[in-house]
Amino acid sequence: MGTGQELYKKAKELIPGGTMLLSKRPEMFLPEHWPSYFSKSKGCYVWDLDGNKYLDMYIMGIGTNSLGYGNDKVDNAVKQVIDKGNMSTFSCPEEVQLAERLIELHPWGEMVRFARSGGEANAIAIRIARAASGKDKVAICGYHGWHDWYLSANLANEEGLDGHLLPGLDPAGVPRHLSGSVVPFHYNDLPELEKIIAQHPDLGVVKMEVSRNMGPAEGYLEGVRALCDKHNLVLIFDECTSGFRETFGGLHKKYGVEPDMCMFGKALGNGYAVTGVLGKRSVMQAAQKTFISSTFWTERIGSAAALATLDEMERLNSWDFITTQGRLITDRWNEIGSSLNLKIKTAGLSALTSFSIDSPNWLKYKTFITQEMLKQGLLAGHCVYVCTEHTDDKIEEYFNKVTPLFEKISRFEKGLENVDASLDGPVCHGGFKRLN
Amino acid sequence: MGTGQELYKKAKELIPGGTMLLSKRPEMFLPEHWPSYFSKSKGCYVWDLDGNKYLDMYIMGIGTNSLGYGNDKVDNAVKQVIDKGNMSTFSCPEEVQLAERLIELHPWGEMVRFARSGGEANAIAIRIARAASGKDKVAICGYHGWHDWYLSANLANEEGLDGHLLPGLDPAGVPRHLSGSVVPFHYNDLPELEKIIAQHPDLGVVKMEVSRNMGPAEGYLEGVRALCDKHNLVLIFDECTSGFRETFGGLHKKYGVEPDMCMFGKALGNGYAVTGVLGKRSVMQAAQKTFISSTFWTERIGSAAALATLDEMERLNSWDFITTQGRLITDRWNEIGSSLNLKIKTAGLSALTSFSIDSPNWLKYKTFITQEMLKQGLLAGHCVYVCTEHTDDKIEEYFNKVTPLFEKISRFEKGLENVDASLDGPVCHGGFKRLN
């Protein structure tokens, strides 16, 4: 057992769940064998506590580092902030510059608030939208964080845990008062949303991700926009994950449909904590009627890191590069699937590409891939969150090593070999599925 | 008008409210004249955008920097993190070390979760406590952030804005579903809390600040603890502000009363964003029954900064020093008040000491002090949040400059001079008052 697994055993005694993020729990990857902790990260490489170096062809900090780990330009901007002071009794000018920059990139937007986590940005947006609409009920489609307002969607449904929102996740501790305050809807189903709006006159807000496992059907986003206009609803696009993956800004720029508000997170600060809520003045001004305020939203690193990240993204056209590389990876997976007769399905934005194999043994296969790739110095599984460091040679190295594993999986599928005999430990846990 | 005021004018067009924190709005200090933004901060000095240097005898980053701005030990630890990588697909080992350290300092605590803002830490604690108790209703005393769960206290009361919780602050956008989910109680009034508990069988959680403007009456905290034990309620102490001000850890250590959970924030990372929730295992394990997870809670700077801050606090006995210096300041204010026959009242923890003058012109006097001190290169007003850089010479400089202003105020009070004629701009806004 490596040092990281030893530390994780201790962590589970000290931290409920062992980690701060469900998606970073070692059990989600390779139970009992995942290195779990890092000593160093740079470019698209990560070093574990025993000094082993891995090529990260997996979640890249769960999509935070689209410019790679330890980007020099961003890091230097942060170090300059540290030398000049991260905090003071005054505010930092960088937050105003960052607000200007986000508005410049999204001319429909006029005002901005910043926070330090995606859950917060979502909660801020909902508070402002409810205040602006004067109505409490929210229709949602997608993943929008851990807060009460969102998880309450699971309270309304008798099926509770088995509901389609976050299967396996209990909304324990979410006050039952909120039951019925949120109505989930399915992506690409415009008639359903229309029906929900008709049935809920107290609905004031529609919040959704711009794209799900698949992109929008023709006219879908335009239809949602038209419905919101007709019924005077605040339309929010949650771009925490999708932002800066396919455009220099929100994914909605690709489709030419403008929301009333949107949130950015993850990639915005290239690994430094910063998130933002952008919106039209008419909506954002409602923030003045309520109380949205937190000490650490005033620290300087977040804004400075985001400014440097935006400069570097622009210089590199990072969204183009990561989309191109992601498409390459997706195509290769599909080619391998075809050639081996494996039922491979790919999904997601190209820069956040993922695949699955339609088999009752899928989670075992995923575990097998992670296990065997780890032995060869790669972090890999069912997805690749692409960064600007994922050049062709890295992708080549990945496929050189993963292709024989797909061949093996094809033998498992045909019953020629037994996957169970090939696993060194327990099968990985399934993640939470996003609402379709 | 200085560069900072120019920028703030622009900020108000781009950011609703102009800042991320209500307590940093320039109008709270000196409307139209507050420098508003910093270029640099170091020790207990802050530089504005025009290069003017000020001695900060005011809020010191709203209490985040009890070791002063830009503490070298803490900053170097953060820079090392940047050089080794702030983020990765794995978790950072520092979060486990920090959990251990907080538990070491509070042996009643057994498990920890971290976040990046105080509002989040409060919301996490409430979620876990509700999940652990199986009950939704919460009794609160004190200031606990901006989230829906807390502001809902204003919904239940017909008086709304005029309620005693956050006067002048509207809970617009807080879903009305939450009405009645939170019951405020008054500090040092044990019979009231007992009555509330008797009246609300669905109450599962009591959350409070350990000390308010005044400290606990004899037996009060023990009484609250006994009530919670008797009725099987989760007792939470919010130590976001009070932590590390009088003890090496929570203020509750001074009184020997142990909660079931407590939160730390502000001073924990000496200006870097990190907050934590500490609790007994029996309560904290309820986090496993729900979903509490956020990407940026896994970044490394927060934990590394907190570890270095704790080391430095311990080396300096910072809590002793800042309490001693705060007491000195408080005593001097009282002496001046006596000698000038001004009705000065002091309040708060010594390290967060504040005063007010019992006069209808109080806000004008506060504005006058800030205005005249600013002209002499000091940030000052109605309080001093003390840091380890506030050595005797700084305090001497402060009193040398503020004493003549108190003399002037005494002349205003006697009608010998007119305060209005002495103000260069509008009177400052009143802050929100904490619940007594």
Side-chain angles (χ1 to χ4, degrees):
Chain A
M1 191 179 282
T3 307
Q5 273 292 325
E6 285 292 349
L7 186 62
Y8 185 58
K9 268 176 67 180
K10 184 195 266 189
K12 282 196 281 192
E13 293 299 309
L14 303 177
I15 295 167
T19 64
M20 301 305 141
L21 184 76
L22 180 70
S23 303
K24 285 193 180 176
R25 287 193 189 166
E27 293 87 350
M28 305 295 279
F29 304 94
L30 192 65
E32 296 176 17
H33 295 285
W34 191 241
S36 306
Y37 294 94
F38 75 111
S39 54
K40 186 177 154 182
S41 63
K42 186 74 184 173
C44 51
Y45 292 95
V46 180
W47 285 255
D48 70 16
L49 299 188
D50 298 312
N52 300 307
K53 180 182 176 183
Y54 304 99
L55 171 60
D56 193 342
M57 298 299 290
Y58 213 163
I59 60 169
M60 281 298 299
I62 200 83
T64 51
N65 289 68
S66 71
L67 302 176
Y69 300 125
N71 177 284
D72 289 334
K73 294 263 173 63
V74 179
D75 287 1
N76 286 335
V78 172
K79 284 184 189 172
Q80 274 180 39
V81 158
I82 294 172
D83 287 336
K84 291 191 291 179
N86 180 42
M87 186 59 93
S88 94
T89 289
F90 301 148
S91 295
C92 68
E94 288 83 356
E95 67 189 28
V96 189
Q97 294 160 22
L98 182 58
E100 274 192 291
R101 194 89 163 93
L102 288 177
I103 290 166
E104 216 174 78
L105 296 177
H106 306 86
W108 61 265
E110 291 158 304
M111 301 191 94
V112 185
R113 283 296 299 261
F114 297 109
R116 290 296 173 273
S117 73
E120 282 185 324
N122 267 279
I124 292 169
I126 284 296
R127 170 74 65 75
I128 295 175
R130 278 172 162 160
S133 73
K135 294 179 175 181
D136 288 338
K137 198 168 275 183
V138 178
I140 55 117
C141 175
Y143 172 67
H144 307 298
W146 68 276
H147 285 266
D148 286 350
W149 78 264
Y150 174 64
L151 291 196
S152 70
N154 260 13
L155 293 168
N157 190 334
E158 281 283 308
E159 287 170 296
L161 311 189
D162 306 329
H164 60 175
L165 185 63
L166 293 167
L169 289 167
D170 188 339
V174 177
R176 279 156 282 222
H177 298 74
L178 288 172
S179 184
S181 60
V182 165
V183 189
F185 63 96
H186 295 85
Y187 190 72
N188 270 342
D189 186 345
L190 200 59
E192 184 200 34
L193 181 61
E194 197 163 3
K195 206 169 130 190
I196 287 170
I197 293 170
Q199 282 169 345
H200 298 276
D202 50 341
L203 187 79
V205 184
V206 173
K207 181 184 257 189
M208 61 184 294
E209 291 187 80
V210 176
S211 178
R212 308 282 309 149
N213 290 338
M214 63 184 69
E218 209 186 308
Y220 175 63
L221 293 177
E222 292 81 355
V224 173
R225 178 70 270 182
L227 276 176
C228 290
D229 286 341
K230 183 176 167 190
H231 297 278
N232 208 14
L233 309 175
V234 178
L235 175 60
I236 310 177
F237 286 161
D238 184 348
E239 298 262 18
C240 280
T241 296
S242 56
F244 305 100
R245 306 290 174 191
E246 293 206 8
T247 74
F248 191 27
L251 181 61
H252 64 268
K253 290 170 74 170
K254 173 177 170 181
Y255 299 109
V257 177
E258 292 170 353
D260 301 305
M261 306 176 84
C262 76
M263 290 84 66
F264 297 106
K266 285 201 162 64
L268 180 59
N270 203 52
Y272 294 97
V274 59
T275 61
V277 180
L278 172 70
K280 294 181 180 165
R281 185 178 310 277
S282 56
V283 174
M284 292 295 284
Q285 282 289 19
Q288 300 266 46
K289 294 192 292 177
T290 185
F291 178 64
I292 304 172
S293 177
S294 211
T295 295
F296 286 123
W297 296 345
T298 68
E299 66 86 46
R300 199 179 195 177
I301 287 178
S303 301
L307 284 169
T309 299
L310 293 177
D311 283 349
E312 191 66 350
M313 283 176 171
E314 189 169 30
R315 191 180 71 83
L316 298 170
N317 271 304
S318 59
W319 58 95
D320 272 347
F321 181 82
I322 60 180
T323 295
T324 301
Q325 299 305 82
R327 221 170 266 151
L328 193 68
I329 294 167
T330 313
D331 290 346
R332 292 282 289 271
W333 282 335
N334 281 318
E335 282 161 28
I336 292 172
S338 295
S339 74
L340 293 171
N341 253 325
L342 284 170
K343 286 181 228 153
I344 281 186
K345 276 200 294 193
T346 56
L349 299 182
S350 294
L352 304 169
T353 185
S354 69
F355 73 93
S356 61
I357 297 171
D358 185 12
S359 160
N361 284 329
W362 161 234
L363 282 184
K364 291 181 182 173
Y365 298 160
K366 174 171 171 285
T367 310
F368 173 73
I369 290 171
T370 301
Q371 167 189 295
E372 295 304 312
M373 292 297 269
L374 192 70
K375 287 176 186 167
Q376 299 174 81
L378 280 86
L379 307 184
H382 68 298
C383 64
V384 180
Y385 287 4
V386 187
C387 74
T388 52
E389 298 286 320
H390 285 131
T391 44
D392 291 351
D393 55 322
K394 312 289 190 331
I395 295 174
E396 212 49 52
E397 181 181 350
Y398 167 77
F399 278 104
N400 284 341
K401 286 174 174 165
V402 86
T403 305
L405 303 180
F406 278 108
E407 285 159 4
K408 193 101 170 169
I409 288 168
S410 138
R411 292 178 62 80
F412 295 149
E413 277 290 277
K414 289 175 184 151
L416 298 174
E417 284 190 67
N418 184 355
V419 62
D420 295 301
S422 303
L423 295 180
D424 303 336
V427 176
C428 70
H429 297 191
F432 63 83
K433 281 187 201 141
R434 295 189 163 203
L435 175 68
N436 283 312
Chain B
M1 191 179 283
T3 307
Q5 272 293 327
E6 285 290 349
L7 187 60
Y8 184 58
K9 268 175 69 180
K10 185 196 264 187
K12 283 197 280 192
E13 293 298 310
L14 303 177
I15 295 167
T19 64
M20 301 305 142
L21 184 76
L22 180 70
S23 303
K24 285 194 180 176
R25 288 192 189 166
E27 292 87 351
M28 306 295 278
F29 304 94
L30 192 64
E32 298 178 14
H33 294 284
W34 192 241
S36 308
Y37 294 95
F38 75 111
S39 54
K40 188 178 154 183
S41 63
K42 185 75 184 174
C44 51
Y45 293 95
V46 181
W47 286 254
D48 70 15
L49 299 189
D50 298 312
N52 300 306
K53 180 182 178 183
Y54 305 98
L55 171 60
D56 193 341
M57 298 298 290
Y58 213 163
I59 61 169
M60 280 298 300
I62 201 83
T64 51
N65 288 70
S66 71
L67 302 176
Y69 301 123
N71 178 284
D72 289 335
K73 296 262 173 63
V74 180
D75 287 0
N76 287 335
V78 172
K79 284 185 190 172
Q80 275 180 38
V81 157
I82 294 172
D83 287 337
K84 290 191 291 180
N86 181 43
M87 187 58 96
S88 93
T89 289
F90 301 149
S91 295
C92 69
E94 287 83 356
E95 68 188 27
V96 188
Q97 294 160 24
L98 183 58
E100 273 192 292
R101 194 91 164 90
L102 287 179
I103 290 165
E104 217 175 80
L105 295 178
H106 306 86
W108 60 265
E110 292 159 305
M111 301 191 95
V112 186
R113 283 296 299 262
F114 297 109
R116 291 295 173 272
S117 74
E120 283 185 325
N122 266 281
I124 292 170
I126 282 296
R127 169 74 63 75
I128 294 175
R130 278 172 163 160
S133 72
K135 293 178 175 180
D136 289 338
K137 198 169 276 185
V138 179
I140 56 117
C141 175
Y143 172 67
H144 306 299
W146 68 276
H147 285 265
D148 285 350
W149 78 264
Y150 174 64
L151 291 196
S152 72
N154 261 13
L155 293 168
N157 189 333
E158 281 285 306
E159 287 169 297
L161 312 188
D162 306 329
H164 60 174
L165 185 64
L166 292 168
L169 290 166
D170 187 340
V174 177
R176 280 156 280 222
H177 298 73
L178 288 172
S179 184
S181 60
V182 165
V183 189
F185 63 97
H186 295 85
Y187 190 72
N188 270 342
D189 186 345
L190 201 59
E192 184 201 35
L193 180 60
E194 196 163 6
K195 207 168 128 191
I196 286 171
I197 293 170
Q199 282 169 344
H200 298 277
D202 50 342
L203 187 79
V205 184
V206 174
K207 181 183 258 190
M208 62 184 294
E209 291 187 82
V210 176
S211 179
R212 307 283 309 151
N213 290 337
M214 60 185 68
E218 209 187 309
Y220 175 63
L221 292 176
E222 292 82 355
V224 173
R225 176 73 269 181
L227 276 176
C228 290
D229 286 342
K230 183 176 165 192
H231 297 280
N232 208 16
L233 309 176
V234 178
L235 176 59
I236 310 176
F237 286 160
D238 184 347
E239 298 263 18
C240 280
T241 295
S242 56
F244 306 100
R245 305 288 174 191
E246 292 206 8
T247 75
F248 192 26
L251 181 62
H252 64 268
K253 290 171 73 169
K254 173 177 170 178
Y255 299 107
V257 176
E258 292 170 354
D260 301 305
M261 308 176 84
C262 76
M263 291 84 65
F264 297 105
K266 285 200 162 65
L268 181 58
N270 203 52
Y272 294 97
V274 59
T275 61
V277 180
L278 172 71
K280 294 181 180 164
R281 185 178 311 279
S282 56
V283 175
M284 292 295 284
Q285 281 289 17
Q288 301 266 45
K289 292 192 293 178
T290 184
F291 177 65
I292 305 172
S293 177
S294 210
T295 295
F296 286 122
W297 296 346
T298 68
E299 66 85 43
R300 199 179 194 177
I301 287 178
S303 301
L307 284 169
T309 299
L310 293 177
D311 283 349
E312 191 66 350
M313 283 176 171
E314 188 168 32
R315 192 179 72 81
L316 298 171
N317 272 303
S318 60
W319 59 96
D320 272 347
F321 181 81
I322 61 178
T323 295
T324 302
Q325 300 303 81
R327 222 171 265 152
L328 193 66
I329 294 167
T330 314
D331 290 345
R332 292 282 289 271
W333 282 334
N334 281 319
E335 282 160 28
I336 292 172
S338 296
S339 72
L340 293 171
N341 254 325
L342 284 170
K343 288 180 227 154
I344 280 187
K345 277 199 295 194
T346 56
L349 299 182
S350 294
L352 304 169
T353 186
S354 69
F355 74 92
S356 60
I357 298 172
D358 185 12
S359 159
N361 283 329
W362 160 235
L363 282 184
K364 291 181 183 174
Y365 298 160
K366 175 170 172 284
T367 310
F368 174 72
I369 290 171
T370 301
Q371 167 189 298
E372 296 304 312
M373 293 297 269
L374 192 71
K375 288 176 187 168
Q376 299 174 80
L378 280 87
L379 307 183
H382 68 298
C383 64
V384 180
Y385 287 5
V386 188
C387 74
T388 52
E389 299 286 321
H390 285 131
T391 45
D392 292 350
D393 54 322
K394 310 290 190 334
I395 294 174
E396 214 48 52
E397 181 181 350
Y398 167 76
F399 278 103
N400 284 343
K401 287 176 174 165
V402 86
T403 305
L405 303 180
F406 279 107
E407 285 160 5
K408 192 99 171 169
I409 289 169
S410 138
R411 293 178 62 79
F412 295 149
E413 278 290 276
K414 288 174 184 152
L416 300 174
E417 285 188 66
N418 184 357
V419 61
D420 295 300
S422 303
L423 295 180
D424 303 336
V427 176
C428 71
H429 297 191
F432 63 83
K433 282 186 201 138
R434 294 188 165 203
L435 177 67
N436 282 312

